């Protein structure tokens, strides 16, 4: 999201002179913004105190390292400089503490105060150095940058979390490391400035700066973790329900594996890559056979490299860096789409590593290029992506490389705007409907905008991601409107389905007693369930209807039970007329006019007549036989129901899979001809008995019951489309051979 700009003094004066009062909405927004910044300001003392508590141990480590360096130095002047610095620090440790603490507090306070106006760092600020004039100045800035990047890698996990939390405080996407007011660069600069003030001897400045490594420096991880805990205790959550929801676009609704940012093994591999301890060797998806032409090209490239190296020895780092940056810009301008007509597609980023300007890049920078080349190799060979999507993604190689070289967060943070764009494109490639899909045209516009407008500001990626997500949200709204009628139909069907389940239960618990006559049991299960279903479906509007239907059923069952006393027979004769009237009224309501109705009432009359003629007194033997028969029937009914329920609630993998489905997921349906069609789960009924699927734009909607969906999953005819982060999958491939 874009940074909210602060109004200039001239703007404020103009508004006051025009007599326009600030609106309530404006005051609330200003108050909310001020409270958010106040929350950040309150973190400054916490961070400063945590850093100060480590200063004594840090100073001791630095002093010990300076003494060790003086003992091992080859040149006498180097040994003397290190020893003098060691003695100075030992004699003035209190002054050093005070200077460091003061600088940390001052710089953190300043960064928080200007935070809301800070943009992401430009490419030349992070990658090129146009201000260094002398070799010493250039080396100083390179050392500062390297020390900062090393600390960013070692503290990557809490730093990424802090970026996310601060982004949520200000209702933005996760901020960039260069915007973080507690980034490692500020602590490094504070310590370095403190040393410069403590020791006026410039010879010691670079010596100390080289020693500001993670094993010696202030431990930033516990500081950042404590800040994160403080923010979370204030109710700020990395997965909170705020404006950040949905920032991953289409793929946020699809099942995914654990992100790389939460995978310790992958994080360890990335730390090794960006520590500079190893250099990635160029690889590809498959090893191609080496031809004589390939060998000749390699020899020519080697000769060119040697010649270029000789020329570069005469150039300074600044000139080399500027030349490489210009090569990138030129390559982006002259990107040939004709290369994308060749198949299979492959990354062309490795060409950069053979350019003259790339020979003096650091190991970390060369690793970034090779890692990104591997990522694009994987993406452009991915069989799950359509060729038209691959062709579009391939055009992002140079802009993404420029981002990755200036912001290591691209590899470390899965919510990085440029990485988010790649993941949305990957997810979109799985669900495009046709050649002329509007989404494909939108993606083409986004790619063209990145190619033509991207210069240094990573904010452009945030803007195009927001633009693309807004397009998807509008499309989703239209799709929801398109299925409104099928949803209403499905809701009605589910209501009737649930009402029938209640009706079946009402009949079952009465039949289970074993006291219901055989012909009456059939009548209740075939006809009266229909009546009870209607009664249950209207019970909210007409509750007396359900009570009446249940009472009529109970009276009918009672009427066919043995009557062993004169009073019971008199009661039966008295109730029969009203009961038969209600019975016929309900049967008329369901329009049961078949001949079976006449037969049923004939049997019912015969049973009532037989009961009136039966002797009042039954022998004990006969009473026992009747009781045993009733108990046996009851036992059989309960067993039948138990088996039925057991089968109906079979808890297998298919049913678990359907239970885990959520709106927005995509599933593949295989028909009888083994043709696969992809549909989105657009709606689930409240009781999960009905599911509606559509294409992405809401067309071709169809409904399927939960039972049928479970059955088809069990048969393998329905499978979920898993769309893990495209960049995560590609990076896992790219680092597969690297030990953690």
């Amino acid at each position: 999201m874009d940074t909210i700009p602060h109004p200039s003094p001239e703007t404020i004066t103009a508004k006051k002179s025009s007599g326009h009062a600030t609106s309530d909405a404006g005051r609330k927004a200003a108050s909310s913004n001020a409270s958010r910044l106040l929350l950040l300001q309150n973190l400054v003392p916490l961070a400063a105190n945590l850093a100060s508590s480590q200063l004594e141990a840090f100073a001791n480590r630095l002093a010990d390292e300076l003494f060790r360096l003086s003992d091992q130095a080859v040149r006498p002047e180097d040994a003397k400089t290190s020893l003098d610095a060691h003695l100075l620090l030992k004699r003035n440790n209190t002054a050093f503490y005070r200077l460091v603490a003061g600088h940390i507090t001052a710089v953190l306070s300043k960064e928080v105060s200007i935070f809301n106006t800070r943009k992401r760092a430009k490419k030349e600020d992070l990658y090129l150095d146009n201000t260094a004039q002398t070799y010493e100045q250039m080396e100083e800035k390179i050392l500062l940058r390297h020390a900062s990047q090393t600390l960013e890698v070692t503290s990557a996990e809490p730093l990424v979390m802090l970026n996310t939390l601060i982004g949520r405080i200000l209702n933005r996407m996760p901020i960039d490391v260069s915007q973080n007011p507690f980034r490692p660069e500020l602590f490094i600069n504070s310590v370095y400035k403190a040393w410069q003030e403590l020791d006026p001897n410039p010879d010691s400045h670079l010596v100390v700066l080289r020693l500001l490594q993670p094993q010696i420096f202030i431990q930033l991880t516990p500081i950042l973790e404590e800040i994160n805990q403080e923010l979370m205790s204030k109710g700020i959550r990395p997965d909170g329900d705020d404006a950040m929801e949905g920032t991953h676009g289409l793929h946020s609704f699809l099942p995914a594996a654990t992100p790389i940012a939460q995978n310790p093994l992958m994080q360890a591999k990335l730390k090794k890559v960006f520590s500079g301890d190893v250099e990635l060797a160029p690889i590809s998806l498959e090893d191609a056979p080496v031809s004589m032409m390939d060998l000749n090209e390699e020899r020519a490239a080697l000769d060119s490299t040697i010649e270029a190296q000789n020329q570069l020895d005469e150039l300074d780092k600044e000139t080399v860096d500027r030349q490489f940056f210009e090569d990138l810009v030129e390559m982006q301008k002259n990107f040939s789409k004709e290369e994308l007509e060749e198949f299979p597609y492959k990354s062309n980023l490795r060409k950069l590593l053979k350019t003259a300007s790339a020979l003096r890049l650091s190991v970390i920078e060369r690793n970034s290029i090779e890692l990104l080349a591997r990522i694009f190799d994987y993406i452009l060979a991915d069989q799950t992506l359509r060729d038209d999507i691959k062709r579009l993604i391939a055009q992002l190689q140079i802009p993404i490389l420029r981002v990755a070289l200036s912001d290591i967060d691209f590899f470390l943070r899965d919510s990085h705007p440029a990485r988010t764009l790649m993941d949305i494109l990957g997810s979109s490639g799985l669900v495009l409907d046709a050649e002329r899909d509007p989404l494909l045209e939108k993606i083409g516009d986004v790619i063209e905008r990145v190619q033509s407008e991207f210069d240094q500001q990573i904010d452009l990626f945030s803007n195009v991601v927001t633009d693309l997500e807004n397009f998807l949200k509008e499309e989703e709204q239209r799709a929801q409107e398109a299925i409104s009628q099928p949803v209403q139909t499905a809701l009605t069907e589910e209501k009737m389905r649930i009402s029938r389940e209640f009706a079946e239960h009402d009949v079952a618990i009465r039949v289970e007693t074993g006291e219901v006559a055989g012909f009456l049991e059939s009548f209740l299960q075939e006809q009266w369930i229909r009546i009870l279903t209607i009664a249950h479906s209207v019970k909210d509007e007409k509750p007396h209807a359900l009570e009446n239907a249940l009472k009529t059923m109970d009276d009918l069952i009672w009427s066919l039970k043995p009557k062993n006393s004169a009073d019971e027979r008199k009661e039966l004769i008295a109730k029969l007329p009203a009961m038969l009237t209600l019975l016929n009224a309900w049967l008329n309501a369901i329009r049961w006019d078949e001949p079976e109705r006449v037969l049923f009432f004939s049997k019912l009359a015969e049973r009532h007549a037989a009961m009136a003629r039966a002797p009042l007194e039954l022998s004990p033997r006969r009473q026992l036989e009747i009781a045993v028969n009733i108990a046996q029937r009851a036992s059989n009914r309960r067993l039948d129901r138990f088996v039925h329920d057991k089968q109906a609630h079979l808890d297998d993998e298919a049913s678990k899979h359907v239970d885990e489905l959520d709106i927005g997921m995509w599933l593949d349906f295989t028909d009888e001809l083994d043709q696969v069609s992809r549909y989105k789960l657009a709606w689930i009924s409240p009781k999960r008995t009905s599911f509606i699927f559509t294409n992405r734009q809401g067309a071709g909607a169809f409904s399927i019951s939960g039972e049928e969906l479970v059955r088809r999953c069990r048969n393998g005819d329905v499978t979920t489309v898993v769309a893990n982060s495209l960049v995560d999958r590609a990076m896992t491939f790219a680092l597969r051979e690297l030990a953690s």
Side-chain angles (χ1 to χ4, degrees), residues 250 253 471-489 491 662-666 680-685 691-701:
L250 201 64
F253 298 101
F471 175 86
L472 294 171
K473 289 177 182 177
E474 291 173 1
E475 197 174 58
E476 178 68 20
Q477 290 175 355
R478 291 193 296 270
Q480 288 299 315
E481 293 172 359
I483 65 170
S484 58
Q485 185 56 49
V487 166
Q488 290 301 319
T489 301
L491 283 172
D662 201 357
I663 293 175
M665 288 185 175
W666 288 80
K680 181 179 68 174
L681 179 52
W683 181 82
I684 304 175
S685 65
F691 299 77
I692 292 181
F693 292 88
T694 69
N695 66 8
R696 201 191 69 258
Q697 297 170 282

Side-chain angles (χ1 to χ4, degrees), residues 511-514 630-644:
V511 169
E512 282 179 0
T513 63
I630 290 174
Q632 184 63 45
R633 286 199 299 272
S635 176
N636 291 339
R637 298 293 186 279
R638 285 193 292 270
L639 181 60
D640 290 344
R641 188 180 180 196
F642 173 79
V643 173
H644 177 269

Side-chain angles (χ1 to χ4, degrees), residues 408-441:
I408 197 174
D409 259 13
F410 174 82
F411 298 104
L412 301 176
R413 177 162 60 88
D414 55 11
S415 58
H416 189 283
R419 186 161 163 179
T420 298
L421 175 62
M422 296 279 287
D423 283 336
I424 293 179
L425 298 184
S427 298
S428 300
L430 298 175
V431 299
L432 290 171
D433 289 333
E435 293 288 337
R436 301 293 298 174
D437 192 313
L439 177 57
L440 186 60
E441 297 179 12

Side-chain angles (χ1 to χ4, degrees), residues 424-481:
I424 293 179
L425 298 184
S427 298
S428 300
L430 298 175
V431 299
L432 290 171
D433 289 333
E435 293 288 337
R436 301 293 298 174
D437 192 313
L439 177 57
L440 186 60
E441 297 179 12
K442 181 65 178 179
I443 291 173
D445 293 341
V446 167
I447 300 296
E448 184 176 351
R449 181 181 174 188
V450 170
Q451 282 189 304
S452 62
E453 297 182 20
F454 178 69
D455 188 10
Q456 290 90 18
Q457 292 297 330
I458 299 178
D459 283 342
L460 174 64
F461 285 92
S462 298
N463 295 337
V464 297
V465 165
T466 300
D467 187 26
L468 186 54
E469 287 181 337
N470 289 337
F471 175 86
L472 294 171
K473 289 177 182 177
E474 291 173 1
E475 197 174 58
E476 178 68 20
Q477 290 175 355
R478 291 193 296 270
Q480 288 299 315
E481 293 172 359

Side-chain angles (χ1 to χ4, degrees), residues 26-52:
R27 284 194 295 268
K28 288 181 180 178
S31 175
S32 175
N33 191 43
S35 63
R36 291 170 184 272
L37 290 177
L38 181 60
L39 184 59
L40 289 178
Q41 290 170 356
N42 291 336
L43 296 174
V44 171
L46 173 64
N49 290 337
L50 290 171
S52 297

Side-chain angles (χ1 to χ4, degrees), residues 265-279:
L265 178 61
M266 293 302 298
Q267 284 294 306
K269 289 184 177 182
L270 285 172
K271 288 180 180 179
K272 177 176 288 188
V273 168
F274 295 114
S275 68
D277 294 337
V278 298
E279 182 168 0

Side-chain angles (χ1 to χ4, degrees), residues 261-313:
Q262 301 175 22
N263 186 326
L265 178 61
M266 293 302 298
Q267 284 294 306
K269 289 184 177 182
L270 285 172
K271 288 180 180 179
K272 177 176 288 188
V273 168
F274 295 114
S275 68
D277 294 337
V278 298
E279 182 168 0
L280 296 178
I283 64 168
S284 60
L285 285 173
E286 54 186 18
D287 295 323
V290 179
S291 64
M292 184 59 65
M293 182 177 295
D294 294 330
L295 292 176
N296 290 335
E297 290 179 354
E298 289 296 329
R299 292 191 188 101
L302 180 60
D303 293 339
S304 175
T305 300
I306 294 173
E307 181 180 356
Q309 182 65 60
N310 293 333
Q311 296 174 356
L312 287 172
D313 287 341

